[in-house]
Amino acid sequence: MSKTALVTGASRGIGLETTRRFILNHDDITTVVMFARDSEDFDTNVAELEKELPIGRKLVPYKVDVGDRATLKKAVKRAYDEVGNIDILVNNAGYTNPVPLQQVKMADFEKTMEVNVYAPFTIIKALLNRGNTFDLIVNIASTAGINGRSGWLTYSASKAAVINMSQVMREELSIYGTRVVCLSPGRTATALRKTLAPDEDPTTIMQPEHVAQVISTLSSSVGKFIDSENIVVRQ
Ligand SMILES: NC(=O)c1ccc[n+]([C@@H]2O[C@H](COP(=O)([O-])OP(=O)(O)OC[C@H]3O[C@@H](n4cnc5c(N)ncnc54)[C@H](OP(=O)(O)O)[C@@H]3O)[C@@H](O)[C@H]2O)c1
């Protein structure tokens, strides 16, 4: 089997580790399309991964801001034209700017929704409308979407929306043989977590490769036996 995956937020953290697992340790995935914004981190991490690539495996990096809907639609179209059907989609890119609710700026709330909710929806809709058939869609939410957290209003609200949106997608897309899984990590040692909990020691919490391992299992031949609407991954 030769499958193609698309991972958003693939420049670092959970998205980078998922890409690494997919391209180096997965039996079926031979191509991974990586979406992230232009950054030194992205260039460096792609170059590092390229050095380890087994023969016959391919990375296709795209520099795209998923929060810019028009650009995102164009990137999805280009990616589909370049690699063909996306079998596995991991909607992982995430944004947060935690502040007390009196200080929430509407523009920032809108940006949070654009990156965390509208971008996954836009990618899925754009691909479906081009005739793409997914085997698996993994939408990354958060435990903060199950229970709202003080100071995290915009982030918690966006992740609650991801959980609910995934339930609808799961029902609507099952007739095409598509599995839709929402995965909600708890605290994981990444840059985003540092923004949410600046004083925490990252060595004491879950690492991004742990979450990536769960995503990889979901995408493997045994993944179809994991039947849950919202999988919580936490320490
Ligand atoms: N870490 C945790 O404790 C935790 C817990 C629950 C859920 N999550 C979720 O896990 C997912 C991955 O986050 P992470 O923890 O791995 O954080 P991270 O290391 O900070 O990675 C976030 C990723 O999202 C990308 N991203 C952010 N805004 C983007 C935009 N506008 N366009 C394109 N890419 C964008 C970043 O890429 P660039 O900035 O390079 O473009 C980066 O690759 C997020 O959805 C997050 O909400 C994390």
Side-chain angles (χ1 to χ4, degrees), residues 105-171:
K105 298 216 165 47
M106 272 324 284
D108 194 65
F109 201 166
E110 282 163 8
K111 178 178 174 180
T112 310
M113 295 302 282
E114 198 66 61
V115 173
N116 296 359
V117 185
Y118 304 149
F121 167 74
T122 300
I123 295 170
I124 292 166
K125 183 179 171 207
L127 283 169
L128 287 172
N129 287 344
R130 296 193 79 77
N132 195 87
T133 47
F134 299 98
D135 290 351
L136 173 69
I137 297 169
V138 181
N139 292 327
I140 305 296
S142 167
T143 49
I146 304 168
N147 297 109
R149 303 275 156 76
S150 171
W152 300 6
L153 185 144
T154 57
Y155 183 69
S156 293
S158 74
K159 293 300 186 176
V162 172
I163 293 169
N164 199 282
M165 180 172 79
S166 301
Q167 287 169 350
V168 177
M169 289 175 170
R170 182 181 157 93
E171 287 191 16

Side-chain angles (χ1 to χ4, degrees), residues 88-92 136-140 179-183 215 218-219:
I88 297 161
L89 170 65
V90 183
N91 277 312
N92 165 76
L136 173 69
I137 297 169
V138 181
N139 292 327
I140 305 296
R179 286 186 299 133
V180 180
V181 176
C182 185
L183 192 140
I215 297 170
L218 278 169
S219 321

Side-chain angles (χ1 to χ4, degrees), residues 199-219:
D199 300 330
E200 186 177 61
D201 175 357
T203 63
T204 61
I205 59 175
M206 200 161 57
Q207 300 303 306
E209 56 267 29
H210 296 140
V211 183
Q213 215 166 321
V214 175
I215 297 170
S216 186
T217 303
L218 278 169
S219 321

Side-chain angles (χ1 to χ4, degrees), residues 8-16 35-39 41-42 64-68 91-96 111 115-116 140-144 155 159 183-196 200 205-206 208 211:
T8 69
S11 56
R12 52 192 154 86
I14 294 168
L16 175 66
F35 275 11
R37 288 169 297 182
D38 190 6
S39 71
D41 264 6
F42 193 26
V64 52
D65 180 347
V66 302
D68 176 342
N91 277 312
N92 165 76
Y95 167 76
T96 186
K111 178 178 174 180
V115 173
N116 296 359
I140 305 296
S142 167
T143 49
Y155 183 69
K159 293 300 186 176
L183 192 140
S184 289
R187 32 197 213 136
T188 312
T190 65
L192 184 137
R193 178 67 197 175
K194 203 81 201 146
T195 308
L196 290 168
E200 186 177 61
I205 59 175
M206 200 161 57
V211 183

Side-chain angles (χ1 to χ4, degrees), residues 36-68:
R37 288 169 297 182
D38 190 6
S39 71
E40 223 169 276
D41 264 6
F42 193 26
D43 289 341
T44 309
N45 290 328
V46 169
E48 287 298 316
L49 269 184
E50 294 273 7
K51 282 189 211 154
E52 297 178 66
L53 272 193
I55 291 165
R57 306 230 159 178
K58 192 166 75 164
L59 290 175
V60 187
Y62 274 86
K63 292 177 175 172
V64 52
D65 180 347
V66 302
D68 176 342

